[in-house]
Amino acid sequence: MYEGAPISIGDSMAAILSYVIRHELDGKQIVDLMQLVNLHCKSEKNEMKTSLYFFKKYFSCLDCPVIYHYYCSSCYANLKEKKSQCPNAELHTSTSGTCIFVELPLIPQLQSLFTQEEFYSNLNYKHTRNKVCQENLEDIYDGQIYKELESNGFFSKDKPLNFSLIMNTDGVPVFKSTNKSLWPVFFNVNELPPHLRFKKEYTLIGGIWFGGKPYANLILEPLLKPLKTIESGFAVTPPTSEKSAIAKGVVIAATTDLPAKVMICGMASYSGAFGCQICKLEGGSVKIIKKKKIVGAQKKNTEEVTKTSSVWVYRFTDDLELRSHSETIQLGIQAQRVLQETNDPKTNILGVKYPSAFFKIMYDGIRGFAIDDLHTMYLGVTKTLIRLLFDSNHSTEVFSLRKYLSLVDQRLMAIQLPNFLERGVKKIETDIAFWKGTEFQTWAHYLSIPILDGIMSERYLEHYVDLISCIHILQSSSIPPEALLSCDKTLTNFVKNFEVLYGTRYMTMVFHLLRHMVFVVDNLGPMRHTSCFPYENLNGDILKMIHGTRYVETQLASACFLIKQLPKSLENLSSQHVREFCNKLLHPSLRLKKLESIDSSMFSVGTYKLLSSQCQYAYDALAQLGIQKGVGCTIQSFLKLKKGKLLFVSRSYLRSVRTNSFTCTFLLDNDTLRYGAIDIFVKVSSNFSTEVRFFAIIQLGVVLPYVIGKKQVPHISRYSLSKDYVAIPINQLRDMLVCVQVGDKFFVCQPIY
Ligand SMILES: *[C@@H]1O[C@H](CO)[C@@H](O)[C@H](O)[C@H]1NC(C)=O
Ligand SMILES: *[C@@H]1O[C@H](CO)[C@@H](O)[C@H](O)[C@H]1NC(C)=O
Ligand SMILES: *[C@@H]1O[C@H](CO)[C@@H](O)[C@H](O)[C@H]1NC(C)=O
Ligand SMILES: *[C@@H]1O[C@H](CO)[C@@H](O)[C@H](O)[C@H]1NC(C)=O
């Protein structure tokens, strides 16, 4: 930083950037902070840059130039420069400024990734993964689309140079006062293992749109050329050799919410005729009559006013005619021809308005477009169902459970969730508007069935169980092909009966899409690999770095580089102190102090204490394995164990009142899967040798099938604890389960993490 400084300029920049991100500083605050830091530095040979400009420049990847595209915000005509006059200026009066698409060249981003050891060496993951079951769908590689590319000879086993991409985009509103939003276009490499696939440093940013809602071709056409080059081959230099090689990439999947999907496909609307992007169901409108009492000034003359409105719905029909990639392109071309004759901006043919560049980018734009879980399942289907059941709006409907709402909330608040579900769930009555996607997910998979049991009538609950069971299967990490077939049948029945049980007017697009869920999973693998969840954070990170509308395009470009560069500069830190500081700022919740490594994937957390003599059951359990206190060994206890991604917290850890991270499955005697509650962990050290062994003391549970009406809930079991305790070697622990208590009944649910 300056002569004799204890910290290098690189470390300092990384630390400051971590601080900026953690505390969401804006441009002014960053500049002030830099000046403040500089006040404390010697001025001789000072490398500390005092302006934001230099700060950003320091992190910029200067060899990847950014390309700015400008458009008129009234008519979206292409402008040469930011200040150019719109060629159609005479046709529209308002001059509301420009929209910007900041293109970040994709090929240099990919070339940089290919030089990195961690990236390159992990591209072979699909060949090295351990499948739970060979026939099952466990990743995108097991979907039809990937298999087609494989049989075309696109992927080869020995050289991981050919790869595939998944695309995402979504509108992120900025500055509440304007109608402008950011639309980043992301690509991720499917060949990376799931834990690396969506990491920031491996996410490619094709570009960011800033302005009103874009058209597909405005944000995709600039990407078309580079993506075609990527498809036909570009030079990379893998870390293992000096020679360059040719790599090829194809976009096989896309995932977005419904409004973005309609935009990307060049379609008219998802709540109008032919709104489904997968099939050609027209749908129809139904009238809604609302009666409203208007109380006049003098309370006597109350009037009853009826208001009618209509909604577009997709009623159940048995046969659905699917769209195809090539037909959709043709429909777009036809629609453009018709538009030239009619000049009606609403023109569309079977819902398609124009030929979107998306179909030139994708291997198959219809089969490759996922139904995303976050928006469709959780913020769509799940949220709508909660609203139908509990909103005052629907309190007179037969299905309404409004009168039980406080009981439901009471049950909800009493539940102790495991710590892998980051958020607890807030009350429905007061806080449903603040629920995030993960809360709807937790409600759907784990909480809703046991909570609604006894409240919802059996007919409705059986119907609901069908939905949740199917979603649970499609979200799981290993899906048997026969389960896929039965899900399709069950979901079809669910949608058919939904119309009967809830009414035609609620048959909106999200419920219709349930019928295509299996189609999508068959093509792209389990839903978890085409989810929009990972992109939420990325969008948030970019948003945090945009401060004010001035020079927004340079802010956007810097934001992208900062986000992608930070993880790399963190890896490169020379000072351990700075590294710890940055990690603390960036991952405030992930800090766990390792007590002792047990093996490569497990470590103990906390402190060791001599096992209390009050834990007689624990001594008894150990004695069954021939381990006794004082007989050549020391027995200590500890409370927490980190195993892979999971942090088991034993029941004896009294501070965790709101969580239950001790209900688990484990192997007893190496072969039978059992359930139970981890009471405490023990470490047994020999007094004569260096031998140490680790055990979990577990109170054994008993599970029974959970049956509702005539249906068994496959992923939830009734559960009770027995009086027996066992000691099991720690490597026999398996999963952490979600334990749900409602009244005096206990349930355990298989997790989908
Ligand atoms: C990449 O794909 C092409 C087909 O486009 C194929 O001929 C080539 O062998 C593949 N290369 C590798 C290393 O898989
Ligand atoms: C935002 O859009 C709404 C409706 O499209 C419009 O009424 C409003 O004036 C717009 N606001 C701004 C600041 O442009
Ligand atoms: C009640 O329903 C109407 C339309 O059906 C909706 O616009 C409104 O937001 C609903 N109110 C609540 C509190 O959900
Ligand atoms: C890491 O540090 C080395 C030496 O200080 C430097 O040459 C290299 O460019 C740095 N890498 C990154 C990604 O910053």
Side-chain angles (χ1 to χ4, degrees):
M1 258 174 101
Y2 55 88
E3 202 170 43
I7 178 174
S8 73
I9 186 81
D11 283 14
S12 166
M13 290 291 168
I16 291 174
L17 182 56
S18 305
Y19 184 87
V20 165
I21 290 177
R22 172 78 173 100
H23 297 293
E24 301 179 22
L25 301 196
D26 66 22
K28 253 207 192 112
Q29 291 166 327
I30 300 174
V31 175
D32 287 350
L33 175 67
M34 309 277 291
Q35 284 169 344
L36 175 64
V37 172
N38 203 30
L39 275 181
H40 295 76
C41 301
K42 271 206 266 182
S43 53
E44 290 98 65
K45 301 213 174 148
N46 187 324
E47 283 190 68
M48 186 76 195
K49 313 294 186 203
T50 47
S51 76
L52 182 59
Y53 171 75
F54 282 111
F55 180 68
K56 288 188 171 173
K57 199 161 162 188
Y58 181 85
F59 279 98
S60 304
C61 142
L62 292 169
D63 48 348
C64 336
V66 180
I67 305 164
Y68 298 110
H69 304 265
Y70 297 101
Y71 302 91
C72 164
S73 16
S74 296
C75 66
Y76 288 111
N78 200 337
L79 306 179
K80 278 219 176 67
E81 281 170 43
K82 191 179 187 183
K83 300 237 165 71
S84 305
Q85 214 200 359
C86 172
N88 307 324
E90 285 152 23
L91 302 175
H92 48 77
T93 46
S94 82
T95 47
S96 51
T98 44
C99 297
I100 304 162
F101 183 66
V102 181
E103 181 192 340
L104 287 96
L106 282 167
I107 294 173
Q109 293 181 59
L110 277 164
Q111 284 168 328
S112 152
L113 289 185
F114 266 94
T115 61
Q116 292 172 36
E117 176 62 37
E118 190 189 42
F119 176 84
Y120 187 73
S121 63
N122 274 294
L123 288 177
N124 243 335
Y125 163 74
K126 63 171 181 271
H127 298 301
T128 57
R129 68 186 165 140
N130 290 319
K131 285 190 76 170
V132 175
C133 180
Q134 209 47 44
E135 297 84 61
N136 289 6
L137 277 94
E138 300 186 355
D139 208 325
I140 198 163
Y141 326 121
D142 306 316
Q144 294 300 335
I145 291 184
Y146 206 94
K147 286 185 185 161
E148 280 167 30
L149 281 163
E150 241 163 10
S151 61
N152 289 348
F154 185 73
F155 299 113
S156 70
K157 210 165 176 162
D158 44 332
K159 278 193 233 132
L161 286 168
N162 289 2
F163 59 95
S164 70
L165 295 165
I166 179 169
M167 184 184 111
N168 164 271
T169 186
D170 196 0
V172 189
V174 269
F175 318 131
K176 288 200 180 82
S177 55
T178 66
N179 284 340
K180 301 208 156 153
S181 50
L182 294 177
W183 291 74
V185 186
F186 296 117
F187 296 90
N188 290 81
V189 176
N190 294 316
E191 281 64 26
L192 289 175
H195 71 282
L196 298 178
R197 204 171 295 166
F198 296 100
K199 280 183 102 169
K200 280 177 208 159
E201 55 268 47
Y202 298 135
T203 298
L204 307 166
I205 306 177
I208 304 187
W209 169 269
F210 177 76
K213 192 173 177 183
Y215 288 103
N217 291 347
L218 297 178
I219 59 173
L220 295 181
E221 249 158 20
L223 305 181
L224 199 53
K225 201 168 149 236
L227 284 169
K228 283 293 154 203
T229 309
I230 291 168
E231 196 174 326
S232 57
F234 62 104
V236 295
T237 318
T240 46
S241 71
E242 275 98 69
K243 273 197 299 188
S244 73
I246 297 298
K248 294 182 179 188
V250 277
V251 189
I252 61 164
T255 184
T256 69
D257 64 7
L258 280 176
K261 187 176 203 171
V262 162
M263 184 271 282
I264 288 289
C265 292
M267 291 180 55
S269 162
Y270 66 91
S271 50
F274 303 105
C276 178
Q277 173 269 338
I278 297 176
C279 77
K280 292 183 269 186
L281 181 63
E282 180 176 8
S285 105
V286 289
K287 273 217 178 69
I288 304 171
I289 299 166
K290 273 193 221 150
K291 288 202 177 119
K292 218 180 177 183
K293 283 211 174 95
I294 305 278
V295 182
Q298 296 97 24
K299 288 200 171 169
K300 287 167 210 158
N301 49 353
T302 46
E303 281 181 87
E304 211 176 56
V305 178
T306 55
K307 258 174 120 184
T308 57
S309 59
S310 64
V311 281
W312 199 266
V313 296
Y314 301 88
R315 300 194 61 167
F316 180 88
T317 49
D318 274 312
D319 296 317
L320 298 175
E321 196 189 333
L322 297 186
R323 295 179 188 274
S324 79
H325 181 87
S326 54
E327 184 202 43
T328 308
I329 298 173
Q330 288 312 314
L331 292 177
I333 295 169
Q334 281 174 36
Q336 286 295 286
R337 272 196 220 115
V338 176
L339 175 68
Q340 280 175 358
E341 289 157 20
T342 61
N343 247 330
D344 177 0
K346 292 211 172 98
T347 301
N348 69 74
I349 299 179
L350 299 177
V352 185
K353 292 183 83 164
Y354 57 88
S356 164
F358 175 69
F359 292 93
K360 294 187 194 157
I361 285 175
M362 293 284 287
Y363 171 75
D364 186 323
I366 300 296
R367 291 158 64 222
F369 215 134
I371 295 179
D372 130 79
D373 58 350
L374 169 61
H375 299 97
T376 311
M377 264 318 303
Y378 303 127
L379 299 174
V381 169
T382 307
K383 188 177 189 171
T384 307
L385 278 169
I386 294 182
R387 289 230 176 258
L388 289 174
L389 297 177
F390 298 115
D391 260 10
S392 58
N393 259 4
H394 308 294
S395 59
T396 55
E397 304 257 22
V398 285
F399 51 76
S400 175
L401 301 176
R402 171 93 189 159
K403 58 178 185 244
Y404 300 107
L405 182 51
S406 53
L407 174 61
V408 167
D409 272 338
Q410 199 186 323
R411 290 181 170 185
L412 196 54
M413 288 303 103
I415 287 166
Q416 302 178 330
L417 292 170
N419 53 19
F420 65 83
L421 298 170
E422 287 163 40
R423 296 166 166 274
V425 173
K426 295 187 265 312
K427 281 189 181 177
I428 294 177
E429 181 158 20
T430 48
D431 296 329
I432 186 86
F434 307 106
W435 279 29
K436 294 264 194 285
T438 48
E439 283 164 287
F440 287 105
Q441 185 177 40
T442 301
W443 165 265
H445 289 265
Y446 309 121
L447 308 180
S448 53
I449 296 174
I451 285 180
L452 294 175
D453 193 352
I455 290 178
M456 196 182 228
S457 71
E458 198 169 278
R459 181 166 178 223
Y460 279 82
L461 192 55
E462 275 191 50
H463 176 248
Y464 181 74
V465 166
D466 275 347
L467 170 72
I468 300 300
S469 314
C470 289
I471 298 311
H472 201 80
I473 290 170
L474 300 179
Q475 270 293 17
S476 68
S477 52
S478 183
I479 309 174
E482 62 277 9
L484 211 52
L485 285 178
S486 74
C487 270
D488 203 27
K489 261 201 203 138
T490 310
L491 284 173
T492 301
N493 266 321
F494 175 84
V495 177
K496 192 173 182 175
N497 291 325
F498 181 79
E499 190 168 350
V500 178
L501 293 176
Y502 293 82
T504 304
R505 61 166 288 199
Y506 301 113
M507 298 285 283
T508 50
M509 180 52 76
V510 287
F511 288 96
H512 167 74
L513 284 176
L514 292 172
R515 297 201 52 197
H516 297 307
M517 223 70 141
V518 167
F519 170 82
V520 169
V521 171
D522 188 37
N523 279 311
L524 293 172
M527 290 179 79
R528 56 176 58 206
H529 300 293
T530 50
S531 169
C532 281
F533 271 116
Y535 295 106
E536 294 284 285
N537 292 335
L538 281 168
N539 286 332
D541 284 344
I542 291 180
L543 195 57
K544 276 182 204 163
M545 300 206 182
I546 308 302
H547 311 287
T549 42
R550 294 191 64 204
Y551 305 113
V552 98
E553 59 268 55
T554 31
Q555 293 188 43
L556 288 172
S558 310
C560 296
F561 286 132
L562 292 182
I563 284 169
K564 288 178 58 114
Q565 203 69 21
L566 181 64
K568 265 200 274 168
S569 27
L570 289 181
E571 264 170 33
N572 218 2
L573 290 177
S574 51
S575 154
Q576 183 61 26
H577 295 304
V578 177
R579 188 192 310 274
E580 277 168 17
F581 175 78
C582 294
N583 279 332
K584 188 183 84 180
L585 287 179
L586 297 171
H587 312 286
S589 60
L590 291 177
R591 284 189 309 143
L592 264 192
K593 264 240 166 86
K594 188 187 283 194
L595 179 61
E596 182 179 0
S597 277
I598 296 172
D599 65 23
S600 60
S601 67
M602 277 194 277
F603 59 85
S604 55
V605 179
T607 48
Y608 294 129
K609 278 195 212 154
L610 281 181
L611 180 61
S612 157
S613 55
Q614 284 170 0
C615 296
Q616 191 51 48
Y617 54 88
Y619 284 110
D620 292 346
L622 287 166
Q624 287 177 17
L625 302 176
I627 297 166
Q628 271 166 10
K629 181 166 59 164
V631 188
C633 64
T634 306
I635 303 177
Q636 291 169 300
S637 67
F638 61 102
L639 296 169
K640 299 186 210 174
L641 173 80
K642 179 92 175 159
K643 177 176 185 277
K645 278 192 291 186
L646 299 174
L647 176 67
F648 289 99
V649 179
S650 65
R651 200 171 50 186
S652 305
Y653 186 71
L654 297 175
R655 275 193 275 168
S656 62
V657 274
R658 278 284 283 158
T659 59
N660 170 343
S661 307
F662 50 76
T663 302
C664 68
T665 52
F666 58 95
L667 290 179
L668 190 61
D669 304 328
N670 261 328
D671 60 354
T672 41
L673 192 70
R674 299 292 300 266
Y675 294 72
I678 303 171
D679 187 76
I680 201 158
F681 296 105
V682 296
K683 172 184 178 184
V684 179
S685 342
S686 162
N687 295 346
F688 307 118
S689 68
T690 55
E691 188 199 24
V692 282
R693 285 179 291 167
F694 295 88
F695 298 92
I697 308 294
I698 295 180
Q699 184 173 10
L700 278 174
V702 181
V703 292
L704 290 169
Y706 180 28
V707 180
I708 285 172
K710 292 179 286 300
K711 291 214 156 77
Q712 184 181 339
V713 188
H715 67 287
I716 307 183
S717 306
R718 297 286 309 272
Y719 173 71
S720 57
L721 285 170
S722 73
K723 292 209 163 51
D724 301 327
Y725 283 81
V726 290
I728 60 139
I730 254 166
N731 60 10
Q732 304 290 307
L733 278 177
R734 287 295 170 264
D735 277 324
M736 191 187 293
L737 303 182
V738 184
C739 180
V740 175
Q741 181 181 7
V742 175
D744 55 0
K745 288 189 193 139
F746 285 86
F747 304 85
V748 283
C749 318
Q750 301 297 330
I752 48 157
Y753 50 69

